[in-house]
Amino acid sequence: MYSTARQEHQFRLAKKSMKIISNIMAASKSSPTDQRIKNDIVHSFEHIAVLSLEHMKEGDINVLISTEATDVILVRNADTATETIGDSNIKINIDNKSNIQNLAALIYKDNSAFKPPPNPKRGTTSIVGKVVGLKHTKRVGDSKNNSISFKMKFDFPDLSNPEKKPRQMALKQCKYYDTETDTWSTKGCTTTEAPDGSVECECDHMTSFAVILSVQESKVPMWLSNLVLGINITFCLLTLLCTLPFRTFRVRKMTIIQSHSILSLLLLCVTWFVMQDLKLSENKPAYESMECKAVAFVAHYFLMATFSWIFCCSLTLKSQIVDALKSFGKKNKNLVKKCVLFGYGFPLLIPSLALLMDSLMKKYSPEGQELHYIRELECWYEDIWVYSFILFPIYIFFIINFVCFINIMRVVSNARRSSDGSSDRRVVKLVRSGLHSGSTMDNASRCPH
């Protein structure tokens, strides 16, 4: 049967060792066991599977070794087989250019040996079906060639019909288990979803693989979000239509600046409308979608532009009241030009820095611990980026606006105490002009973001 009695003995020894380790794995399920110990058990299982591959007899093509914890399928000459079938739900195709002679597929009956993937905020993540471990031996005389390429198709019922509500978002990804970091990673694997819901994984390395299903539910109903954005867009358009057609308003500095702030808010609402209705792939995370990242960048830009123009409105009020009193009514002729440069130039800096930081974090962060600009399941910003590159600049604008307000009130209060009546009348006129022009700015700033 076997080429030598020694080879037969080693194969039987490998099968016996595999069953012993399987019993240990089954025992670790019912008792608290350190993850490192579980990883060592998995490694031992894989090494014995490779040993079994090396001692298969010449006549066997497929050998099934069934244990309590796994089904191990040994395939001879897997590189020439058109299709290797693990069970009815798992199919493996080997690229004939790969340096793979024999293949061992370890189909784990229970996934307790692997650390579960972490749950995202407002969602759940789970392993769908079974974990499949793959090990191989190289062709004889070609040990230097490390080329590996294969496709593995998962066709579990939970993939075809994932349980999700209408407002839930689902993401299917092929991932491998990294025993060094105890995390599930997509490195070296691409995911393709078939129309029937099955998932095909194409990878360039052999470890333990599974399909990870992430599901997240949206808290805000889509119709409510669209209604709020629609109201904002409508009133912003009405405000612009009530001011821009009339030359009397167009020539005023404050009206020009306020019109730019309202225009930025209008474009922000339109961009958010597109952003929330963007269709995302169910097998690729949102942070890998170029369409999502582009729309998020534009929305980030117009959000910063809106507050930059509101900041310019505040400086204009200060110029009309505080600086006018100090300079005896002298006007700043270049104020609008400076606001245009600042209102449309500075906002470009913030999202650009955010994307640069996203690229650096992706490059230098440990595998599985990256902090992305966009979330995994929805086209929206991760919390750390919201705090650092959205809320922080907005708070800075609010603080400066508050300082300008205090400055205006201090100058007006000091001027009112003056015994010069003409000064008092001039102050009242300036205050009325400032309040009148500030009402439009207040309406723009009250539009919900």
Side-chain angles (χ1 to χ4, degrees), residues 249-261:
F249 297 110
R250 287 202 309 267
V251 296
R252 294 181 182 178
K253 290 182 181 179
M254 179 59 75
T255 304
I256 294 172
I257 294 172
Q258 290 168 348
S259 297
H260 280 288
S261 68

Side-chain angles (χ1 to χ4, degrees), residues 147-165:
S147 175
I148 296 176
S149 179
F150 66 92
K151 293 181 179 179
M152 182 162 47
K153 183 178 180 180
F154 293 88
D155 191 13
F156 297 108
D158 291 342
L159 287 173
S160 301
N161 301 294
E163 295 181 1
K164 62 176 185 176
K165 300 175 183 178

Side-chain angles (χ1 to χ4, degrees), residues 4 24 96 108 232 238 244 271 275 339 360 379 384 391 398:
T4 63
I24 297 174
N96 54 18
Y108 293 88
N232 285 344
L238 288 175
L244 294 183
T271 311
M275 191 174 177
C339 284
L360 293 175
C379 192
I384 183 66
L391 292 181
F398 279 150

